[in-house]
Short mmCIF file of all heavy atoms in Angstrom, two decimals:
data_model
loop_
_atom_site.label_atom_id
_atom_site.label_comp_id
_atom_site.label_asym_id
_atom_site.label_seq_id
_atom_site.Cartn_x
_atom_site.Cartn_y
_atom_site.Cartn_z
N HIS K 29 16.95 -44.92 1.76
CA HIS K 29 18.32 -44.89 2.26
C HIS K 29 18.82 -46.30 2.62
O HIS K 29 19.81 -46.44 3.36
CB HIS K 29 18.41 -43.97 3.48
CG HIS K 29 18.17 -42.52 3.14
ND1 HIS K 29 16.93 -41.93 3.21
CD2 HIS K 29 19.02 -41.56 2.68
CE1 HIS K 29 17.02 -40.66 2.85
NE2 HIS K 29 18.28 -40.41 2.53
N ASN K 30 18.15 -47.31 2.09
CA ASN K 30 18.57 -48.71 2.27
C ASN K 30 18.61 -49.14 3.74
O ASN K 30 19.46 -49.93 4.15
CB ASN K 30 19.93 -48.96 1.62
CG ASN K 30 19.90 -48.73 0.12
OD1 ASN K 30 19.03 -49.24 -0.57
ND2 ASN K 30 20.85 -47.94 -0.39
N LEU K 31 17.67 -48.61 4.50
CA LEU K 31 17.63 -48.92 5.93
C LEU K 31 16.48 -49.86 6.30
O LEU K 31 16.26 -50.13 7.49
CB LEU K 31 17.53 -47.62 6.75
CG LEU K 31 18.81 -46.77 6.75
CD1 LEU K 31 18.53 -45.36 7.24
CD2 LEU K 31 19.90 -47.43 7.59
N LEU K 32 15.76 -50.36 5.31
CA LEU K 32 14.72 -51.35 5.56
C LEU K 32 15.17 -52.68 4.96
O LEU K 32 15.15 -52.86 3.74
CB LEU K 32 13.38 -50.93 4.95
CG LEU K 32 12.63 -49.78 5.62
CD1 LEU K 32 11.28 -49.58 4.97
CD2 LEU K 32 12.47 -50.00 7.12
N THR K 33 15.60 -53.59 5.81
CA THR K 33 16.06 -54.90 5.37
C THR K 33 15.44 -55.96 6.28
O THR K 33 14.70 -55.64 7.23
CB THR K 33 17.60 -55.02 5.47
OG1 THR K 33 17.98 -55.18 6.86
CG2 THR K 33 18.29 -53.79 4.90
N ASP K 34 15.76 -57.22 6.01
CA ASP K 34 15.22 -58.28 6.87
C ASP K 34 15.96 -58.37 8.20
O ASP K 34 15.67 -59.25 9.01
CB ASP K 34 15.25 -59.63 6.15
CG ASP K 34 16.64 -60.08 5.75
OD1 ASP K 34 17.61 -59.35 6.03
OD2 ASP K 34 16.76 -61.16 5.15
N LYS K 35 16.90 -57.44 8.44
CA LYS K 35 17.57 -57.34 9.74
C LYS K 35 17.31 -55.98 10.39
O LYS K 35 18.05 -55.55 11.25
CB LYS K 35 19.07 -57.59 9.59
CG LYS K 35 19.40 -59.00 9.10
CD LYS K 35 20.88 -59.21 8.87
CE LYS K 35 21.61 -59.45 10.17
NZ LYS K 35 23.02 -59.86 9.95
N THR K 36 16.22 -55.33 9.96
CA THR K 36 15.83 -54.03 10.52
C THR K 36 14.70 -54.20 11.52
O THR K 36 13.74 -54.93 11.27
CB THR K 36 15.36 -53.08 9.40
OG1 THR K 36 16.43 -52.78 8.53
CG2 THR K 36 14.80 -51.79 9.99
N VAL K 37 14.81 -53.50 12.66
CA VAL K 37 13.70 -53.41 13.60
C VAL K 37 13.44 -51.94 13.88
O VAL K 37 14.36 -51.19 14.24
CB VAL K 37 13.97 -54.20 14.90
CG1 VAL K 37 15.25 -53.74 15.60
CG2 VAL K 37 12.78 -54.10 15.85
N MET K 38 12.20 -51.52 13.66
CA MET K 38 11.79 -50.14 13.88
C MET K 38 10.81 -50.08 15.05
O MET K 38 9.84 -50.84 15.09
CB MET K 38 11.10 -49.58 12.62
CG MET K 38 12.04 -49.37 11.45
SD MET K 38 13.00 -47.85 11.69
CE MET K 38 14.16 -47.98 10.31
N ALA K 39 11.09 -49.20 15.99
CA ALA K 39 10.24 -49.08 17.17
C ALA K 39 9.00 -48.25 16.89
O ALA K 39 9.05 -47.27 16.15
CB ALA K 39 11.03 -48.46 18.32
N HIS K 40 7.91 -48.67 17.48
CA HIS K 40 6.63 -47.97 17.55
C HIS K 40 5.73 -48.22 16.34
O HIS K 40 4.91 -49.12 16.37
CB HIS K 40 6.82 -46.47 17.80
CG HIS K 40 7.61 -46.20 19.03
ND1 HIS K 40 7.14 -46.49 20.29
CD2 HIS K 40 8.87 -45.71 19.20
CE1 HIS K 40 8.06 -46.18 21.19
NE2 HIS K 40 9.12 -45.72 20.55
N GLY K 41 5.78 -47.40 15.31
CA GLY K 41 4.92 -47.60 14.14
C GLY K 41 3.45 -47.36 14.41
O GLY K 41 2.59 -47.88 13.70
N CYS K 42 3.14 -46.55 15.42
CA CYS K 42 1.74 -46.33 15.81
C CYS K 42 0.88 -45.77 14.68
O CYS K 42 -0.32 -46.03 14.61
CB CYS K 42 1.66 -45.37 17.00
SG CYS K 42 2.46 -45.95 18.48
N HIS K 43 1.50 -44.98 13.79
CA HIS K 43 0.73 -44.25 12.79
C HIS K 43 1.11 -44.64 11.36
O HIS K 43 0.99 -43.83 10.43
CB HIS K 43 0.90 -42.75 13.02
CG HIS K 43 0.58 -42.33 14.43
ND1 HIS K 43 -0.71 -42.27 14.91
CD2 HIS K 43 1.38 -42.04 15.49
CE1 HIS K 43 -0.69 -41.92 16.19
NE2 HIS K 43 0.57 -41.77 16.56
N LEU K 44 1.56 -45.86 11.17
CA LEU K 44 1.88 -46.35 9.83
C LEU K 44 0.60 -46.65 9.06
O LEU K 44 -0.37 -47.18 9.60
CB LEU K 44 2.72 -47.62 9.92
CG LEU K 44 4.14 -47.48 10.46
CD1 LEU K 44 4.77 -48.86 10.64
CD2 LEU K 44 5.00 -46.63 9.54
N SER K 45 0.62 -46.35 7.78
CA SER K 45 -0.51 -46.69 6.91
C SER K 45 -0.43 -48.14 6.48
O SER K 45 0.61 -48.80 6.63
CB SER K 45 -0.50 -45.79 5.67
OG SER K 45 0.64 -46.08 4.87
N ASP K 46 -1.51 -48.65 5.93
CA ASP K 46 -1.50 -50.02 5.40
C ASP K 46 -0.47 -50.16 4.29
O ASP K 46 0.18 -51.21 4.16
CB ASP K 46 -2.88 -50.41 4.89
CG ASP K 46 -3.87 -50.66 6.02
OD1 ASP K 46 -3.44 -50.76 7.18
OD2 ASP K 46 -5.08 -50.77 5.74
N GLU K 47 -0.31 -49.12 3.49
CA GLU K 47 0.68 -49.16 2.40
C GLU K 47 2.09 -49.27 2.97
O GLU K 47 2.94 -50.00 2.42
CB GLU K 47 0.56 -47.91 1.54
CG GLU K 47 -0.70 -47.81 0.70
CD GLU K 47 -1.93 -47.41 1.50
OE1 GLU K 47 -1.79 -46.93 2.65
OE2 GLU K 47 -3.06 -47.57 0.97
N GLU K 48 2.35 -48.58 4.07
CA GLU K 48 3.67 -48.67 4.69
C GLU K 48 3.90 -50.05 5.29
O GLU K 48 5.01 -50.60 5.22
CB GLU K 48 3.81 -47.58 5.77
CG GLU K 48 3.95 -46.18 5.20
CD GLU K 48 4.00 -45.12 6.29
OE1 GLU K 48 2.93 -44.78 6.83
OE2 GLU K 48 5.11 -44.66 6.61
N LEU K 49 2.87 -50.63 5.89
CA LEU K 49 3.01 -51.98 6.44
C LEU K 49 3.31 -52.98 5.33
O LEU K 49 4.07 -53.94 5.54
CB LEU K 49 1.75 -52.38 7.19
CG LEU K 49 1.51 -51.67 8.53
CD1 LEU K 49 0.15 -52.03 9.10
CD2 LEU K 49 2.61 -52.02 9.53
N THR K 50 2.76 -52.75 4.16
CA THR K 50 3.06 -53.62 3.02
C THR K 50 4.54 -53.54 2.67
O THR K 50 5.17 -54.56 2.35
CB THR K 50 2.19 -53.24 1.81
OG1 THR K 50 0.81 -53.43 2.14
CG2 THR K 50 2.54 -54.10 0.60
N VAL K 51 5.11 -52.34 2.73
CA VAL K 51 6.55 -52.18 2.46
C VAL K 51 7.36 -52.94 3.50
O VAL K 51 8.37 -53.58 3.18
CB VAL K 51 6.94 -50.69 2.42
CG1 VAL K 51 8.45 -50.52 2.29
CG2 VAL K 51 6.23 -49.98 1.27
N PHE K 52 6.93 -52.87 4.76
CA PHE K 52 7.62 -53.62 5.81
C PHE K 52 7.63 -55.11 5.49
O PHE K 52 8.66 -55.78 5.60
CB PHE K 52 6.96 -53.36 7.18
CG PHE K 52 7.58 -52.24 7.95
CD1 PHE K 52 7.37 -50.92 7.60
CD2 PHE K 52 8.39 -52.50 9.04
CE1 PHE K 52 7.94 -49.88 8.31
CE2 PHE K 52 8.98 -51.47 9.77
CZ PHE K 52 8.76 -50.15 9.39
N ARG K 53 6.47 -55.62 5.10
CA ARG K 53 6.41 -57.05 4.79
C ARG K 53 7.30 -57.39 3.60
O ARG K 53 8.04 -58.38 3.62
CB ARG K 53 4.97 -57.47 4.48
CG ARG K 53 4.85 -58.98 4.23
CD ARG K 53 3.45 -59.41 3.86
NE ARG K 53 3.07 -58.93 2.53
CZ ARG K 53 2.08 -58.08 2.28
NH1 ARG K 53 1.36 -57.60 3.28
NH2 ARG K 53 1.80 -57.72 1.05
N GLU K 54 7.27 -56.57 2.57
CA GLU K 54 8.03 -56.85 1.36
C GLU K 54 9.54 -56.78 1.59
O GLU K 54 10.30 -57.53 0.97
CB GLU K 54 7.63 -55.88 0.25
CG GLU K 54 6.21 -56.10 -0.26
CD GLU K 54 5.74 -55.03 -1.23
OE1 GLU K 54 6.43 -53.97 -1.35
OE2 GLU K 54 4.70 -55.22 -1.87
N THR K 55 9.98 -55.89 2.48
CA THR K 55 11.42 -55.76 2.75
C THR K 55 11.89 -56.72 3.84
O THR K 55 13.10 -56.90 4.02
CB THR K 55 11.77 -54.33 3.17
OG1 THR K 55 11.00 -53.98 4.33
CG2 THR K 55 11.48 -53.34 2.05
N GLY K 56 10.95 -57.30 4.58
CA GLY K 56 11.31 -58.17 5.69
C GLY K 56 11.62 -57.43 6.97
O GLY K 56 12.03 -58.03 7.96
N ALA K 57 11.44 -56.11 6.97
CA ALA K 57 11.69 -55.32 8.17
C ALA K 57 10.62 -55.61 9.22
O ALA K 57 9.51 -56.03 8.91
CB ALA K 57 11.71 -53.83 7.84
N SER K 58 10.96 -55.37 10.49
CA SER K 58 10.05 -55.69 11.59
C SER K 58 9.74 -54.46 12.42
O SER K 58 10.39 -53.42 12.32
CB SER K 58 10.67 -56.76 12.48
OG SER K 58 11.84 -56.28 13.11
N LEU K 59 8.73 -54.62 13.28
CA LEU K 59 8.34 -53.57 14.22
C LEU K 59 8.53 -54.04 15.65
O LEU K 59 8.36 -55.23 15.95
CB LEU K 59 6.87 -53.19 14.02
CG LEU K 59 6.53 -52.30 12.82
CD1 LEU K 59 5.01 -52.16 12.68
CD2 LEU K 59 7.17 -50.93 12.95
#
Protein backbone atom coordinates (compact mmCIF):
# COMPACT_ATOMS: atom_id res chain seq x y z
CA HIS A 1 0.00 0.00 0.00
CA ASN A 2 3.05 2.26 -0.52
CA LEU A 3 3.38 2.92 3.19
CA LEU A 4 7.02 1.89 3.56
CA THR A 5 9.27 4.77 2.52
CA ASP A 6 12.40 6.47 3.81
CA LYS A 7 10.06 8.76 5.79
CA THR A 8 8.17 5.91 7.49
CA VAL A 9 8.52 5.02 11.17
CA MET A 10 6.81 1.88 12.46
CA ALA A 11 6.45 1.27 16.18
CA HIS A 12 7.45 -1.97 17.90
CA GLY A 13 8.40 -4.66 15.35
CA CYS A 14 8.93 -7.20 18.14
CA HIS A 15 8.03 -10.15 15.91
CA LEU A 16 9.44 -9.17 12.52
CA SER A 17 11.30 -11.83 10.57
CA ASP A 18 14.76 -11.31 9.12
CA GLU A 19 13.15 -11.15 5.68
CA GLU A 20 10.89 -8.33 6.84
CA LEU A 21 13.83 -6.43 8.31
CA THR A 22 15.51 -6.70 4.92
CA VAL A 23 12.46 -5.01 3.37
CA PHE A 24 12.75 -2.24 5.96
CA ARG A 25 16.37 -1.67 5.02
CA GLU A 26 15.65 -1.72 1.29
CA THR A 27 12.77 0.77 1.56
CA GLY A 28 14.55 3.01 4.06
CA ALA A 29 11.72 2.62 6.58
CA SER A 30 12.60 2.76 10.28
CA LEU A 31 11.51 1.21 13.56
